Amino acid sequence: SQQGEEDPQALSIQEGENATMNCSYKTSINNLQWYRQNSGRGLVHLILIRSNEREKHSGRLRVTLDTSKKSSSLLITASRAADTASYFCGANQAGTALIFGKGTTLSVSS
Amino acid sequence: SAVISQKPSRDICQRGTSLTIQCQVDSQVTMMFWYRQQPGQSLTLIATANQGSEATYESGFVIDKFPISRPNLTFSTLTVSNMSPEDSSIYLCSVYPGNEQFFGPGTRLTVL
């Protein structure tokens, strides 16, 4: 079964706008990781947030984690056409594999 | 970090045949995983393959269909047996050496 569930499933925005994707999970977790996948390409690791962290930043990316709500959000600021991709969140318990949600497909138009 | 390579990168196979996918990691890792990504879908965990023990399969995946070998700490194979068009997917190898989970480039399989 899937651990993370992203929403929305699809998101279309203009360049320069911010994009927010949400992810929910079902059980207690050790950490949660966000990945990007361009069409037909491999997974690119974006950011990891541990269960005892609430917020992390990396460049234009901001991730939050709310363990009480079992949810996380990924914010991409000042989106670019190159951000067009599918985004997946995966969550795991200690010593186990990431279980992924269905993903959000982001389309950024110029 | 870990760098993962997979062979083949892609293949087109006939139904009823089998394909073995190889995964090579540039460092020793205890935990190795195999995932499947069906067209337009997310990643689904097939099994966990730890060196020195039998692979552990997730619900919906069985050893007869997806036999896995893990002969050492840097290498694993996944075989997709008796293939059907429904097996057309990207198969990804993944390792978890510490905090971040790393993924190979994937093997794109098309079954005719």
Side-chain angles (χ1 to χ4, degrees):
Chain A
S1 63
Q2 294 186 304
Q3 175 75 295
E5 296 287 337
E6 284 93 335
D7 115 80
Q9 291 193 9
L11 181 61
S12 294
I13 59 174
Q14 298 288 318
E15 266 193 327
E17 295 180 338
N18 296 341
T20 299
M21 292 161 251
N22 302 298
C23 168
S24 61
Y25 55 91
K26 299 176 183 175
T27 66
S28 62
I29 62 170
N30 184 53
N31 65 57
L32 186 144
Q33 303 184 40
W34 285 90
Y35 292 80
R36 183 185 75 226
Q37 185 179 42
N38 292 84
S39 180
R41 310 291 292 274
L43 285 166
V44 174
H45 187 267
L46 295 177
I47 200 163
L48 176 154
I49 187 164
R50 294 183 176 81
S51 60
N52 62 352
E53 298 175 314
R54 292 298 167 257
E55 186 172 313
K56 285 190 81 170
H57 295 257
S58 177
R60 293 184 296 112
L61 306 180
R62 172 178 171 258
V63 169
T64 62
L65 179 65
D66 187 334
T67 53
S68 67
K69 296 181 179 178
K70 292 186 169 60
S71 67
S72 173
S73 68
L74 170 67
L75 168 67
I76 304 173
T77 60
S79 296
R80 306 165 181 169
D83 295 326
T84 295
S86 293
Y87 292 81
F88 298 97
C89 82
N92 72 337
Q93 298 174 321
T96 64
L98 288 173
I99 302 298
F100 287 88
K102 294 180 179 178
T104 294
T105 299
L106 174 65
S107 177
V108 183
S109 53
S110 54
Chain B
S1 67
V3 177
I4 305 170
S5 60
Q6 288 185 231
K7 290 181 182 179
S9 59
R10 60 178 62 224
D11 207 341
I12 301 173
C13 301
Q14 297 296 319
R15 70 168 65 216
T17 63
S18 298
L19 176 72
T20 295
I21 301 167
Q22 299 179 6
C23 175
Q24 180 75 51
V25 189
D26 68 342
S27 56
Q28 294 185 338
V29 291
T30 302
M31 300 173 68
M32 188 175 281
F33 312 107
W34 287 96
Y35 288 82
R36 180 178 73 182
Q37 186 176 28
Q38 294 176 300
Q41 302 296 314
S42 182
L43 286 81
T44 301
L45 180 65
I46 298 172
T48 298
N50 292 336
Q51 195 267 338
S53 62
E54 294 285 326
T56 303
Y57 290 82
E58 297 297 305
S59 176
F61 297 96
V62 295
I63 187 170
D64 290 347
K65 176 67 175 177
F66 297 102
I68 289 171
S69 78
R70 183 80 200 274
N72 57 51
L73 290 173
T74 63
F75 187 79
S76 178
T77 67
L78 169 76
T79 298
V80 186
S81 303
N82 188 25
M83 289 183 286
S84 67
E86 292 71 36
D87 294 319
S88 296
S89 297
I90 299 173
Y91 292 86
L92 299 103
C93 171
S94 179
V95 299
Y96 193 33
N99 292 315
E100 180 180 335
Q101 190 165 325
F102 296 89
F103 287 84
T107 295
R108 184 180 294 273
L109 171 63
T110 301
V111 183
L112 302 178

